[in-house]
């Protein structure tokens, strides 16, 4: 997703992590949004259960740059449920 527009974030939204995501110390493959407010996004990385907080604008920038890609597996599971 290399769109200039912002993604409307929601709780439990999952993203696949690409090699462009530099803060990936635990080499996780996905991360999940666990809290959103007007200025920040709190995330939890899979396996290590590492949590982090990003300024909202920085998180949106990571999506636009292709460091985080909305996980289609999660969306497909919800559609079939």
């Amino acid at each position: 997703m290399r769109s200039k527009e912002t993604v409307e974030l929601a709780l439990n939204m999952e993203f696949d992590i690409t090699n462009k995501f530099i803060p990936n110390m635990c080499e996780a493959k996905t991360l999940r949004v666990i809290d959103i407010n007007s200025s920040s996004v709190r995330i939890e990385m899979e396996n290590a259960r590492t949590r982090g907080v990003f300024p909202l604008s920085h998180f949106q920038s990571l999506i636009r740059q292709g460091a985080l890609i909305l996980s289609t597996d999660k969306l497909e599971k919800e559609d079939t449920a």
Side-chain angles (χ1 to χ4, degrees), residues 19-71:
N19 60 357
K20 295 179 183 179
F21 187 72
I22 303 303
N24 192 2
M25 304 275 189
C26 63
E27 298 183 12
K29 301 287 186 216
T30 63
L31 64 78
R32 182 172 58 94
V33 174
I34 59 172
D35 188 40
I36 308 162
N37 63 41
S38 61
S39 61
S40 65
V41 177
R42 181 167 296 195
I43 59 100
E44 181 176 72
M45 298 175 81
E46 56 101 24
N47 290 340
R49 294 295 179 218
T50 304
R51 294 183 177 196
V53 178
F54 289 92
L56 182 58
S57 60
H58 183 72
F59 194 81
Q60 290 285 359
S61 176
L62 290 168
I63 295 169
R64 283 191 301 273
Q65 294 171 6
L68 299 173
I69 300 171
L70 186 59
S71 176

